Amino acid sequence: MSWQIATSGLPVRSVSFVLVFIIVVGVGPEPASALDPSSPQVRSMIGRAKTYLESRQAEESRLGGRCLVGAVFMKDGQKNHPLVMEAVEACREASRATDVSYDVYSLGISIMFLVDLDSEEYRSEIQRLLDRLMRIQKDFGGWGYTSGPSVLTGDTSMTQYAVLALWTSHQRGYVRSSEPVQRVAAWLLRTQDPSGAWGYQGRDPGEYTRIEQSEVRHSLAAAGLGSTYMCADMLGMAKSMVGRRGRSSPENSDAELPPALKLVVEESGTKKLAGGRVDPSVLSRAIRDGNTWFEKNFTIKTEEWNYYYLYGLERYKSFRELVEGQEDPDPAWYNAGVEFLASRQAQHGGWEDAQGGNAVSTAFAALFLLRSTKKTISEAGRDYGPGTLAGGRGLPTDLTNVRIRGGKIVPKALGLSAKEVLDVLEDADAEELDKLADNPGHIVLSNDPDDRQKEIQRLGRLVQGGDYQSRRMAVQALARQRDFDLVPLFIYAIGDGDPRVCREAIAALRFVSRKFDGRGLSDDPTFEEKLAVKEDWKQWYLSVRPDAEFLD
């Protein structure tokens, strides 16, 4: 299939002349700032894509596809969006099924989706899906078709999603054995093409002597290289293989801690699996050659599976940043991807591709724009600084300003204004967020009526789209206002994907209504139970506010 970026009706020769003129003469303004997921142009593209995904014409029935669509809203801060909840229910159904065989794509993507959404609330579903994924790993290490002519080979495309599921769940303590990671890492190294890329169905020579692979292309090179980076990180080989700049060494990091504290593990907060059968020098060479291949052959536009490729490219680039410890503040590959996607976004807001389907292709494009893998890495606690405790979040940078309470590290008072507290809540990566979590009483709103109303509006937006800690604390802060007008917001929060936020919403409703025996939720509420409880509270509110309007 031939692809060509729109050129406003100019013939190709004319466009070439204009481009040469701009390059030589220097005509044309420099971009005002680097593009990123918060840039106005990117936000507009993401917003249009979400509107399309919410439409009937973007319906998707496959488990993996539904999870990809749900992930777009989850990664954009809407964890309790209906499409997220629909994907959750599809995952639950799949985890309970005993007579249905789900493909590797769906298993890998659903595991990643549930872990990213809430690794505790969906623990049983994650474990069942992960067990199923482990059972179909092939003896030689890869994943692939379970029937048909390719049953004896590993599929690089499928394998990348299995490895992504392993990495994501490993960060939350689900994967404790190094065996499946070692096996897939060794298979990836054995099936790398002599050029440094990867092919479709891996031809495995049984040793680390590279042989020519078939159907080598960009999407598979990104799949193989991204997976190799993930394996290197899980096996604890990244540091010795590549070296990390600006990170503290584990040998001297304990010296910075008060006597009562001690670092549990290396900087990620996640125990590394033993490398075992994987030779670090072979792994290092594979990554070096893979990066060289991309430097020589880089492109944004491919002949097929373009949006699937962009999602894989963002994953490869994000894990390269993690392993090498260097983040590019203005990545040229991302800017080029945004430009390409802007030229291909359809009038309805989505991206069209007959190969993957429009809904899935739109999800791939939106996840690229959102830097979704980078978000996953960050949410796993992998960029909180040089020291992390067993809980996974970072140590305070000022270690003299902590105390122990109930076995927890509790920071002293922050001394922040109401506006500064709200700024912290809106920045999920802010260091002060953990301190606020242990000291929610710091969220004291302004005495000025106008400022107070603005602060309540900001808290309301956080309830609907913030990080889980921020959502929980925003509900707590709003409950203290004892404002009947906020009841619809609390009822909305009962449907939150995080059970801790749901419980805070119930507590807020009981506090505001003075109905301390008002209906609550079980420890592990289903989607249907949440709907029923929400309906009960709505009926109560309508009894006192007959003209009430609700958020959903």
Side-chain angles (χ1 to χ4, degrees):
M1 184 180 293
S2 176
W3 297 87
Q4 185 175 351
I5 297 178
T7 55
S8 304
L10 291 173
V12 174
R13 185 175 300 173
S14 299
V15 174
S16 300
F17 174 79
V18 172
L19 289 174
V20 171
F21 180 77
I22 291 173
I23 293 169
V24 173
V25 181
V27 176
E30 290 293 322
S33 60
L35 290 172
D36 62 42
S38 65
S39 301
Q41 176 191 357
V42 179
R43 291 303 312 160
S44 175
M45 294 167 68
I46 293 170
R48 292 176 61 205
K50 288 165 64 179
T51 299
Y52 171 71
L53 290 173
E54 290 172 322
S55 69
R56 286 185 176 275
Q57 58 184 320
E59 290 181 353
E60 172 61 43
S61 60
R62 294 167 293 181
L63 173 62
R66 296 177 76 176
C67 290
L68 286 170
V69 170
V72 172
F73 294 87
M74 173 180 63
K75 290 298 181 184
D76 204 31
Q78 294 178 272
K79 291 191 173 184
N80 52 0
H81 188 278
L83 289 175
V84 175
M85 293 298 100
E86 287 179 15
V88 168
E89 288 306 303
C91 291
R92 280 180 163 157
E93 181 181 344
S95 72
R96 293 191 294 261
T98 57
D99 58 345
V100 179
S101 177
Y102 286 93
D103 60 86
V104 176
Y105 293 107
S106 288
L107 287 173
I109 293 169
S110 62
I111 292 166
M112 174 193 69
F113 170 75
L114 290 178
V115 172
D116 279 352
L117 184 59
D118 193 312
S119 61
E120 288 302 318
E121 179 173 5
Y122 306 114
R123 175 166 289 276
S124 60
E125 290 86 357
I126 292 166
Q127 193 62 64
R128 285 195 293 266
L129 293 168
L130 190 60
D131 289 345
R132 191 174 302 172
L133 183 68
M134 292 297 95
R135 285 197 298 270
I136 59 175
Q137 184 179 18
K138 295 180 181 290
D139 291 341
F140 49 74
W143 277 262
Y145 290 98
T146 56
S147 62
S150 299
V151 71
L152 297 179
T153 57
D155 185 304
T156 306
S157 178
M158 293 185 194
T159 296
Q160 70 175 321
Y161 287 102
V163 174
L164 183 59
L166 283 176
W167 186 91
T168 309
S169 54
H170 169 58
Q171 304 308 304
R172 306 299 186 185
Y174 284 88
V175 179
R176 294 182 174 87
S177 170
S178 67
E179 182 65 20
V181 182
Q182 289 187 63
R183 286 165 56 204
V184 70
W187 179 80
L188 287 163
L189 299 182
R190 295 195 306 270
T191 57
Q192 187 175 22
D193 187 76
S195 66
W198 275 265
Y200 177 37
Q201 295 295 317
R203 298 179 60 222
D204 188 347
E207 58 184 12
Y208 296 132
T209 300
R210 294 179 190 166
I211 61 175
E212 186 175 349
Q213 301 294 319
S214 62
E215 300 185 66
V216 171
R217 48 182 180 262
H218 286 81
S219 60
L220 297 171
L225 189 50
S227 299
T228 303
Y229 268 119
M230 284 185 271
C231 289
D233 184 66
M234 284 187 283
L235 294 172
M237 303 175 76
K239 193 168 187 178
S240 61
M241 181 185 64
V242 181
R244 297 191 179 198
R245 298 169 176 83
R247 304 286 184 95
S248 65
S249 64
E251 290 78 15
N252 60 18
S253 52
D254 276 6
E256 302 174 10
L257 298 174
L261 305 178
K262 184 179 180 181
L263 281 174
V264 178
V265 290
E266 196 216 18
E267 64 260 345
S268 69
T270 305
K271 288 185 178 180
K272 299 301 181 182
L273 305 170
R277 70 183 70 175
V278 180
D279 186 336
S281 64
V282 176
L283 190 60
S284 179
R285 179 188 172 215
I287 285 180
R288 183 178 64 249
D289 292 351
N291 286 326
T292 299
W293 186 92
F294 262 104
E295 289 165 7
K296 293 178 179 177
N297 300 280
F298 180 78
T299 186
I300 286 293
K301 181 172 68 71
T302 61
E303 293 298 324
E304 56 184 354
W305 300 100
N306 215 142
Y307 306 111
Y308 157 85
Y309 161 60
L310 290 179
Y311 181 46
L313 177 67
E314 190 271 332
R315 186 182 313 118
Y316 146 53
K317 292 291 189 178
S318 295
F319 277 103
R320 181 176 182 178
E321 287 179 351
L322 171 68
V323 169
E324 297 185 0
Q326 290 185 315
E327 181 179 349
D328 186 348
D330 186 19
W333 60 268
Y334 181 77
N335 296 337
V338 171
E339 181 181 357
F340 171 78
L341 290 173
S343 73
R344 295 305 179 94
Q345 193 166 20
Q347 195 68 31
H348 52 56
W351 284 268
E352 298 178 343
D353 187 350
Q355 289 178 308
N358 292 351
V360 167
S361 296
T362 298
F364 281 146
L367 290 169
F368 172 92
L369 293 171
L370 284 163
R371 288 298 310 268
S372 62
T373 307
K374 185 176 181 180
K375 285 178 180 285
T376 293
I377 292 170
S378 176
E379 289 161 3
R382 296 303 304 276
D383 61 350
Y384 284 98
T388 54
L389 298 173
R393 298 288 297 238
L395 286 170
T397 53
D398 182 4
L399 295 171
T400 63
N401 192 34
V402 297
R403 63 185 184 275
I404 305 296
R405 186 176 71 199
K408 296 179 64 177
I409 302 170
V410 181
K412 294 180 182 177
L414 297 177
L416 300 177
S417 67
K419 179 183 180 302
E420 289 170 329
V421 167
L422 285 165
D423 288 341
V424 170
L425 289 177
E426 289 172 342
D427 179 6
D429 292 332
E431 179 184 319
E432 291 86 356
L433 187 59
D434 281 333
K435 300 178 183 178
L436 276 176
D438 287 305
N439 293 271
H442 285 308
I443 309 175
V444 179
L445 302 188
S446 172
N447 290 322
D448 181 273
D450 292 337
D451 289 344
R452 189 184 192 84
Q453 188 58 37
K454 291 177 182 176
E455 291 162 0
I456 288 174
Q457 290 173 355
R458 289 177 68 182
L459 286 167
R461 288 194 293 270
L462 281 169
V463 172
Q464 298 178 70
D467 146 278
Y468 105 82
Q469 288 271 48
S470 300
R471 299 197 308 275
R472 181 174 63 84
M473 288 185 281
V475 170
Q476 289 177 328
L478 289 171
R480 287 195 292 272
Q481 309 314 307
R482 298 186 181 181
D483 187 343
F484 253 54
D485 290 339
L486 295 174
V487 166
L489 189 65
F490 299 142
I491 293 175
Y492 171 86
I494 293 174
D496 196 280
D498 191 297
R500 290 161 289 193
V501 179
C502 301
R503 286 192 286 271
E504 290 294 347
I506 295 292
L509 286 166
R510 288 171 170 170
F511 180 68
V512 173
S513 69
R514 317 310 291 174
K515 289 171 58 68
F516 296 107
D517 59 349
R519 183 171 176 182
L521 294 165
S522 64
D523 291 338
D524 186 20
T526 63
F527 181 61
E528 291 76 13
E529 182 185 354
K530 291 178 184 178
L531 287 178
V533 173
K534 287 174 70 173
E535 187 59 32
D536 275 6
W537 281 104
K538 284 181 180 180
Q539 292 305 315
W540 163 77
Y541 193 54
L542 287 170
S543 72
V544 295
R545 291 273 180 92
D547 59 344
E549 295 182 0
F550 299 97
L551 298 178
D552 58 0

